[in-house]
């Protein structure tokens, strides 16, 4: 919640410093705020998990009150619903019917529980769908920058110049703005900033043998930001033997081909899953640098997940959880396309480090390849403007690790 609110321009105030509900400043929030209820002569403090005063509200308007609820199963939720109904009644008795009490739900809550809360006038949203709260909690008002301004800022912040980068970034902004955010989220399309791509390429370039010619692959290429970053490094650019980009979405694939054709960047409108399964593509490249699609498991058809699990089991002997996102399969399937001694660097969500469904990827990185470095970003410093996820950059060499192998964290 903190990360989500900060990215919408909200400022936290400590609960002990927060003013009364009616005087809470727009654009602020507090956790564990004691809210007075009951009659003046017998006031008691009711703890509320999160209180948010939206941007742009008129003075005196009551903030949004949120209670966080977690349930490991659906058997113990019936008694809770009465507690929440009582809390809502106490709040309305003191502050009127305009009180907005929402539930932030995590876990198992059956229809009977939800129906009871709805009958009491209590709404809810789920912890994995915080954006459902966006209609009530608007972004901070900002003056929207033109694509031209963004291009200037992006290229000025990046070290090195690529003639086509201005045009690539304009195209990227135009495509991203024309797509529905929900559609891009479902397809896991989050465009990588050029400065970040360039940092990754510079880092992984240190691990490439200095005399080897580079055979580069950018799966899920988008508009080719990693190829653009590669061109910004003369020592790497001059060693390019072949460069290939795959992009399944025609909205990106068509301009991708137009942008980079003169540079020898071969582009294909093709799915990486299919590409990686073909015998002629085995050990085809020695350098992969990319941001794979961040598609959550519930957006992946069951049949596709089962097919991918069978492939990973057959090729690597690893068991992938059905809860793993598409990026896990991308990293594991790329193993076949990378030659022995080749280097790969992936910008992926850092969640795989701690969750159960990341175990297959953790096993792969520690037993099947030589892990070189893992750069985890500060969780509060989200790398994408349109994705609420903390990221990390994982770099490894396709080589069996030594018993005493170490990596840089």
């Amino acid at each position: 919640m903190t990360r989500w609110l900060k990215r919408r321009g909200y400022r936290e105030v400590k609960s002990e410093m927060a003013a009364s509900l009616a005087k809470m400043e727009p654009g602020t929030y507090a956790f564990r705020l004691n809210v007075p209820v009951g009659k003046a002569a017998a006031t008691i403090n009711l703890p509320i998990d999160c209180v948010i005063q939206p941007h742009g509200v008129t003075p005196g308007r009551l903030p949004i009150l949120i209670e966080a609820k977690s349930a490991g199963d659906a058997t113990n939720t019936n008694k809770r619903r009465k507690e929440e109904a009582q809390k809502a009644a106490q709040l309305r008795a003191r502050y009127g019917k305009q009180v907005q009490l929402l539930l932030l739900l995590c876990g198992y809550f059956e229809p009977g529980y939800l129906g009871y809360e709805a009958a009491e006038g209590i709404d809810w949203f789920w912890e994995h769908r915080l954006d459902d709260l966006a209609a009530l909690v608007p972004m901070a008002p900002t003056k929207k920058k033109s694509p031209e301004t963004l291009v200037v800022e992006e290229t000025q912040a990046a070290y090195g110049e690529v003639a086509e980068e201005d045009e690539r970034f304009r195209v990227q902004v135009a495509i991203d703005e024309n797509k529905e955010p929900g559609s891009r989220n479902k397809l896991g399309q989050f465009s990588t900033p050029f400065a970040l791509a360039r940092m990754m390429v510079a880092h992984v370039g240190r691990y490439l043998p200095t005399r080897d010619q580079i055979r580069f692959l950018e799966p899920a290429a988008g508009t080719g930001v990693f190829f653009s970053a590669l061109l910004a490094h003369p020592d790497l650019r001059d060693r390019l033997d072949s460069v290939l980009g795959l992009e399944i979405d025609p909205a990106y694939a068509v301009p991708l081909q137009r942008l980079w054709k003169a540079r020898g960047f071969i582009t294909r409108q093709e799915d990486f899953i299919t590409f990686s399964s073909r015998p002629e593509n085995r050990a085809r490249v020695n350098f992969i640098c990319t941001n794979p699609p961040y598609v959550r498991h519930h957006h992946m058809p069951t049949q596709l997940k089962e097919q991918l699990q069978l492939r990973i089991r057959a090729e690597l002997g690893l068991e992938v959880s059905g809860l793993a996102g598409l990026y896990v399969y991308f990293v594991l399937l790329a193993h076949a396309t990378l030659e022995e001694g080749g280097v790969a660097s992936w910008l992926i969500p850092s969640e795989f480090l701690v969750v159960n469904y990341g175990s297959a990827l953790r096993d792969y990185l520690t037993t099947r390849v030589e892990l070189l470095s893992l750069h985890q970003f500060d969780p509060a410093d989200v790398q994408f403007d349109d994705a609420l996820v903390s990221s990390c950059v994982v770099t490894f060499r396709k080589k069996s690790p030594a018993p005493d192998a170490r990596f840089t964290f």
Side-chain angles (χ1 to χ4, degrees), residues 27 38 67 73 75 83 98 138 189 192 209 244 249 260 327 339 380 384 388 406:
E67 283 288 279
D73 57 58
T75 59
E83 297 171 359
Q98 69 271 30
Q189 296 173 326
T192 309
L244 174 64
D249 187 346
W260 302 113
Y327 71 92
E339 75 170 16
F384 303 98
L388 290 167
R406 298 187 178 200

Side-chain angles (χ1 to χ4, degrees), residues 220-260:
T223 55
V225 65
F226 285 94
F227 178 58
S228 181
L230 187 58
L231 293 178
H233 290 268
D235 55 328
L236 299 178
R237 180 183 63 214
D238 295 342
R239 295 162 52 199
L240 289 176
D241 178 55
S242 65
V243 284
L244 174 64
L246 307 176
E247 176 54 55
I248 194 172
D249 187 346
Y252 293 99
V254 173
L256 175 69
Q257 185 175 32
R258 176 181 58 81
L259 280 166
W260 302 113

Side-chain angles (χ1 to χ4, degrees), residues 140-146:
T142 56
K143 184 178 179 181
K144 191 173 183 180
K145 297 177 181 179
S146 68

